[in-house]
Amino acid sequence: FPFLPLHSQILCLVIMLFSTNIVAQSQQDNRTNFSCPSDSPPSCETYVTYIAQSPNFLSLTNISNIFDTSPLSIARASNLEPMDDKLVKDQVLLVPVTCGCTGNRSFANISYEINQGDSFYFVATTSYENLTNWRAVMDLNPVLSPNKLPIGIQVVFPLFCKCPSKNQLDKEIKYLITYVWKPGDNVSLVSDKFGASPEDIMSENNYGQNFTAANNLPVLIPVTRLPVLARSPSDGRKGGIRLPVIIGISLGCTLLVLGLAVLLVYVYCLKMKTLNRSASSAETADKLLSGVSGYVSKPTMYGTDAIMEATMNLSEQCKIGESVYKA
């Protein structure tokens, strides 16, 4: 564009790059079949995966808002504490959705409120992380302009999903979880993450053993039960959460040990003081006895019979104390 000013050339270049991204997405070949099986139920409760991202989607509340569900339902499905609203970047979540047929395709239709700067493409790739694409959104909302959306209106975004067929249900496959394939993923890694069979993953998605072509596209993960996701995917969060607890426990143990040590020292000193007093008292008694031994006669020893006779068999009349009798 040599005939245009520099800022206009830059603007044209940005528009071309943006258009190229849209075209690239439209040309991606998703080989996963999201059509409605003839032998599947008309609708079902299933799950889509979501990756917590900064800055807007690091809390269960914000994520639940765009999926029109409750934070508690996401927490239960994702193995999180119900009150733990804060998330960590790249933490994997399971979001419950209701999947059904729209035309001949399976979708979970989610109502989304348009914000400043939103477009079909932007919301599909950022807020919903490629769980849908702008073409599917445009097909469902034909009267709206994809790039000129009124702020505040509700737009239905169809998220790709699928209900298990009768054959899959007979094989005890309960859910087909929608997962957006990442560039670093492989079948073995994903099967371990979700507790799924590698063979079932390859059978449900027509990519063979190499899923490179599935990068940033939704695929289906057949599972016999809901996977138990790790509570924290990063060592940083583990340290961040557990460090205060570890410090508190260590400090508490230290104070407890110090307290026990002080108590033992106190008990020892008290015992030694008591022993010293006893020894001093015994020593004093010995000195007194030895001092008066020259002035008193030796004590007289009486037999039991003589004592009983003198006290009239320990009669109450002779009792002058609790255990003292006169004779």
Side-chain angles (χ1 to χ4, degrees):
F1 317 100
F3 55 88
L4 294 176
L6 180 59
H7 68 277
S8 298
Q9 295 182 35
I10 295 174
L11 180 61
C12 290
L13 182 60
V14 170
I15 294 174
M16 288 180 62
L17 290 174
F18 181 75
S19 301
T20 302
N21 286 334
I22 294 180
V23 172
Q25 187 189 38
S26 67
Q27 291 176 345
Q28 285 179 307
D29 180 20
N30 191 340
R31 303 176 195 172
T32 302
N33 183 8
F34 286 99
S35 63
C36 296
S38 58
D39 59 347
S40 69
S43 66
C44 65
E45 299 302 315
T46 187
Y47 298 86
V48 299
T49 57
Y50 195 81
I51 311 299
Q53 295 291 341
S54 62
N56 298 324
F57 300 108
L58 287 180
S59 76
L60 286 178
T61 301
N62 289 352
I63 294 173
S64 66
N65 286 340
I66 66 169
F67 283 96
D68 196 21
T69 186
S70 69
L72 181 59
S73 64
I74 300 177
R76 287 174 174 170
S78 305
N79 190 34
L80 298 175
E81 296 295 333
M83 302 305 294
D84 188 10
D85 188 62
K86 299 299 182 183
L87 303 171
V88 175
K89 186 177 182 296
D90 296 329
Q91 186 167 359
V92 181
L93 303 173
L94 288 177
V95 181
V97 295
T98 300
C99 186
C101 288
T102 302
N104 63 343
R105 303 290 295 276
S106 294
F107 293 116
N109 293 325
I110 306 296
S111 181
Y112 174 88
E113 182 176 335
I114 297 299
N115 299 306
Q116 179 71 38
D118 281 346
S119 66
F120 287 170
Y121 175 80
F122 179 79
V123 176
T125 57
T126 56
S127 297
Y128 290 112
E129 300 180 348
N130 292 313
L131 288 168
T132 185
N133 61 51
W134 68 271
R135 289 172 299 162
V137 183
M138 190 168 60
D139 290 342
L140 202 60
N141 303 273
V143 299
L144 295 175
S145 173
N147 299 311
K148 296 179 180 179
L149 301 172
I151 298 174
I153 69 166
Q154 297 290 328
V155 175
V156 176
F157 278 76
L159 309 185
F160 289 103
C161 62
K162 194 173 184 179
C163 298
S165 64
K166 183 179 183 306
N167 182 47
Q168 288 172 323
L169 292 172
D170 291 341
K171 293 170 57 178
E172 299 185 351
I173 291 176
K174 295 181 66 175
Y175 306 106
L176 298 176
I177 297 176
T178 304
Y179 173 72
V180 177
W181 200 265
K182 303 295 182 291
D185 284 339
N186 58 61
V187 174
S188 177
L189 181 67
V190 173
S191 66
D192 289 341
K193 180 186 297 186
F194 290 95
S197 163
E199 292 75 16
D200 288 340
I201 294 177
M202 290 186 289
S203 174
E204 187 64 33
N205 306 279
N206 301 315
Y207 291 98
Q209 294 185 346
N210 185 2
F211 273 61
T212 303
N215 288 343
N216 300 317
L217 292 175
V219 299
L220 293 170
I221 311 297
V223 295
T224 56
R225 59 182 177 83
L226 204 61
V228 179
L229 299 178
R231 286 179 179 263
S232 175
S234 64
D235 293 334
R237 183 177 188 227
K238 290 180 181 178
I241 289 179
R242 295 183 180 177
L243 185 59
V245 178
I246 293 173
I247 292 175
I249 292 174
S250 301
L251 184 60
C253 291
T254 302
L255 293 176
L256 179 62
V257 171
L258 288 176
L260 288 175
V262 171
L263 181 62
L264 289 175
V265 170
Y266 174 76
V267 171
Y268 176 77
C269 292
L270 187 63
K271 184 176 181 181
M272 292 301 296
K273 190 174 182 180
T274 304
L275 290 175
N276 289 337
R277 284 181 179 177
S278 299
S280 178
S281 299
E283 184 179 355
T284 302
D286 290 342
K287 289 181 179 180
L288 288 173
L289 288 174
S290 63
V292 300
S293 61
Y295 302 95
V296 298
S297 60
K298 292 182 179 180
T300 302
M301 305 298 294
Y302 293 94
T304 303
D305 293 337
I307 292 174
M308 297 299 288
E309 182 181 353
T311 61
M312 294 188 297
N313 293 323
L314 301 178
S315 171
E316 289 292 327
Q317 296 178 0
C318 297
K319 192 173 184 180
I320 59 174
E322 185 176 347
S323 59
V324 180
Y325 296 82
K326 63 182 180 178

